[in-house]
Amino acid sequence: MTTDWLLAHLDDPGVAIADCRFSLMEPDLGRRQYHQSHIPGAVYFDLNADLSGPVQRHGGRHPLPHPDALAQTLAAAGITRGETWVIAYDDSRLGFASRFWWLLRYLGHDRVAVLDGGFAHWQAAGHPVTVATAPSPPRQAGQFVPALRPEMVVDIETVKQRKDQAGVVLVDSREGDRYRGEREPIDPIAGHIPGAVNYPWQGVTDDRGRVLSVEAQRQRWQNLSKTKTNADTDTDTNEIDEVEEIIVYCGSGVTACVNLLSLEMAGRGNQSKLYAGSWSDWCSYLVDEF
């Protein structure tokens, strides 16, 4: 969604705005930024408190939130499933806004988009900001009854069973050095799931956080349908005539959603699924082996 469109609809009661700014290394930063300045009418959604569930021994660092809990939060923000247009933004090249986008679709709400360029682009365009912590004008509570789409998500057992099957591609969305195991700043073990190919999530946008064109998104994924690369030998060994399923993961199921947004733009959304636990879930079982 463009900043000009959102500016023209700031006072539209059928539009809600979600501020999703966050920092994995400094979890309170996004909330502080929201209180310092945000788009008028925006409601803050915290990755840890709102867009994730309680962390367990397994399941990853950012498990999916309970659908009913998130639905209550969305309704309190004035969002009605199937009716309200919701625009999500961050300042991290869609890294957290895309998680919000994916979650709403998982809960059965398709009228959701991410703000192209995020908060930085909004500010650069000279559009208004505010420090008001409550939406202005005040929003009425919405009605949000989840209609889950379980086909959009997979767990570790499904990944194990399907990742090496013909027609299935496993995509690692992290930076190349984390994928290769050269660096791991968060999780206890470095590396990647055997057989995964690497498509870093930052490739969906330019260095200013602007989303690349639909054609660029299509080109980004076009080779995925030709061969499945054996990631551990750097050779193309498994010929694939047609990709039937694309399982996407990252560190904890957050930035993988940027790649899922890209796949949706490329017309491959129906093939794509999120491994919600991602590498943090996968390697938690490896830790148990030691």
Side-chain angles (χ1 to χ4, degrees), residues 115-133:
L115 183 64
D116 188 16
F119 189 65
H121 184 55
W122 177 270
Q123 284 186 303
H127 296 329
V129 296
T130 184
V131 298
T133 57

Side-chain angles (χ1 to χ4, degrees), residues 133-146:
T133 57
S136 178
R139 298 188 61 87
Q140 293 183 348
Q143 297 180 350
F144 203 106
V145 178

